[in-house]
Amino acid sequence: VIKCKAAVAWEAGKPLSLEEVEVAPPKAHEVRIKIVATAVCHTDAYTLSGADPEGCFPVILGHEGAGIVESVGEGVTKVKPGDTVIPLYIPQCGECKFCKNPKTNLCQKIRVTQGKGLMPDGTSRFTCKGKQVYHFMGTSTFSEYTVVADISVAKIDAAAPLDKVCLLGCGISTGYGAVVNTAKVEPGSTCAVFGLGGVGLAVIMGCKVAGASRIIGIDINKDKYAKAKEFGATECISPQDFKKPIQEVLVEMTDGGVDYSFECIGNVGVMRAALEACHKGWGVSVIVGVAAAGQEISTRPFQLVTGRTWKGTAFGGWKSVDNVPKLVTDYMSKKIKVDEFVTHTLPFDEINEAFELMHTGK
């Protein structure tokens, strides 16, 4: 058993608490990882808020991390102690019908236990002050050591800087993949990106890599425009600057609508606007943002009858074990940006400040 520091969420709506936790050794087909760096994501904040129906407390959150394998359980063959890895919230077992189908990346092998905050055998590896602490998204990266299933880990280039590539565990991969895998944006396309946070910037980067000729960023926070343009946005607009709905503005700006739109917020009203901003006959709108539980999307069926397509994506459609190492290689060879996404680097004990910076849009 390893004793180490972790940020524990004891209950919903309260700040994280830095505690000494005990991390049990990995059982069969499990891997214990020393986490070197982790990022914070709105998904962590969503669960912490208490709005997530799958949220269990007390829990160790975090799902964008990178580290070094400390030890492995029986039967683990793909990684060994000392390997550099990224934990994966969407695993890839290679055996379930989802993994065998090239059309999806949604491995279901450990979905049920992962959703309950437990390891595949139905138990937890974390204890704190004598209490069992739940896992989160199969990763729990807000701990100096974590235990994950062996199908939830990608071995990456040992030379990669972990304080950067941890972002490939969720946000950057999600936005970039939404463009190249889900939408399959073609050269010369016109694109609209709703929400210019980390995921939105990754979408812009993907659109630029795909050769889009016009990339319109949409956000009410104008402080985000300069960064969006650095990543490749050709122009940025705020819905608050217009008297009419933003979809009407975009349709006028683009002679009938955009070829591709991406919703990177998780707001059902914006999802509708993103679809309706698409061009009749061929426009494709991809939902990347995760809306709160129980919310529903709506539009007039005529929008779809007249040739628009509504799609969704999780983790950018990447089959994780196969593709995360390739994304790290693409970063190392400067094909994709990662460093530019990092705005602040804080010590672990300032994790609550990191959430504050995220909530204020900084």
Side-chain angles (χ1 to χ4, degrees):
V1 174
I2 289 178
K3 287 185 175 176
C4 68
K5 201 161 58 169
V8 177
W10 286 108
E11 55 183 301
K14 295 274 167 71
L16 301 178
S17 175
L18 279 149
E19 306 281 1
E20 183 180 78
V21 297
E22 289 90 47
V23 184
K27 293 189 184 178
H29 294 288
E30 294 176 4
V31 178
R32 187 160 60 181
I33 303 167
K34 180 184 201 296
I35 296 289
V36 174
T38 185
V40 298
C41 172
H42 275 284
T43 310
D44 303 306
Y46 168 59
T47 298
L48 185 58
S49 74
D52 180 357
E54 273 198 346
C56 330
F57 295 89
V59 62
I60 294 172
L61 299 170
H63 64 283
E64 288 183 311
I68 310 290
V69 174
E70 177 272 333
S71 58
V72 298
E74 195 188 325
V76 175
T77 54
K78 298 216 169 121
V79 292
K80 62 186 186 305
D83 283 349
T84 305
V85 293
I86 289 176
L88 308 167
Y89 69 90
I90 293 182
Q92 186 187 350
C93 71
E95 295 163 0
C96 70
K97 72 176 181 181
F98 289 80
C99 281
K100 287 181 169 164
N101 191 321
K103 294 178 180 176
T104 185
N105 62 328
L106 297 174
C107 172
Q108 296 296 296
K109 180 89 179 227
I110 60 173
R111 178 72 197 93
V112 175
T113 47
Q114 181 172 315
K116 290 177 181 162
L118 298 167
M119 294 301 289
D121 72 345
T123 62
S124 167
R125 301 290 161 270
F126 297 122
T127 43
C128 182
K129 297 179 179 169
K131 285 193 182 137
Q132 170 182 281
V133 177
Y134 288 105
H135 294 252
F136 177 67
M137 289 176 73
T139 51
S140 289
T141 60
F142 293 172
S143 174
E144 291 177 327
Y145 287 86
T146 190
V147 179
V148 304
D150 62 354
I151 58 171
S152 303
V153 64
K155 182 181 170 180
I156 62 161
D157 183 345
L162 300 187
D163 60 331
K164 304 294 193 292
V165 296
C166 61
L167 290 168
L168 293 169
C170 178
I172 298 178
S173 306
T174 296
Y176 181 60
V179 176
V180 298
N181 299 327
T182 310
K184 297 185 169 63
V185 168
E186 301 108 342
S189 304
T190 299
C191 302
V193 183
F194 291 79
L196 302 176
V199 174
L201 293 175
V203 167
I204 290 172
M205 173 174 76
C207 291
K208 190 176 178 185
V209 168
S213 60
R214 194 170 175 192
I215 305 166
I216 305 164
I218 301 116
D219 202 302
I220 56 176
N221 181 351
K222 295 187 177 179
D223 295 342
K224 300 202 175 245
Y225 293 179
K227 197 79 162 167
K229 286 176 178 164
E230 264 175 61
F231 276 84
T234 52
E235 61 222 281
C236 294
I237 57 174
S238 167
Q240 294 175 339
D241 289 348
F242 302 93
K243 295 248 181 356
K244 57 176 95 167
I246 192 68
Q247 53 267 54
E248 289 178 28
V249 174
L250 286 159
V251 165
E252 278 176 21
M253 280 172 68
T254 57
D255 184 28
V258 298
D259 302 313
Y260 297 95
S261 69
F262 300 85
E263 198 279 355
C264 308
I265 301 163
N267 176 311
V268 293
V270 178
M271 290 172 189
R272 176 173 192 159
L275 176 80
E276 295 177 0
C278 283
H279 203 289
K280 185 189 282 188
W282 63 76
V284 174
S285 186
V286 181
I287 294 174
V288 192
V290 178
Q295 297 202 326
E296 298 186 351
I297 45 174
S298 59
T299 189
R300 295 201 173 119
F302 196 66
Q303 292 284 335
L304 300 172
V305 170
T306 51
R308 294 170 193 81
T309 303
W310 222 344
K311 301 181 92 165
T313 187
F315 195 53
W318 301 107
K319 287 196 184 269
S320 58
V321 173
D322 292 345
N323 287 294
V324 168
K326 292 178 186 164
L327 288 165
V328 170
T329 303
D330 284 349
Y331 156 65
M332 299 293 275
S333 62
K334 298 198 163 47
K335 186 186 164 191
I336 59 171
K337 292 178 158 79
V338 174
D339 298 15
E340 293 82 354
F341 285 86
V342 180
T343 57
H344 298 75
T345 304
L346 302 168
F348 186 34
D349 53 15
E350 286 177 28
I351 190 161
N352 287 309
E353 283 79 347
F355 274 87
E356 204 46 51
L357 288 162
M358 179 171 67
H359 287 307
T360 53
K362 292 180 179 158

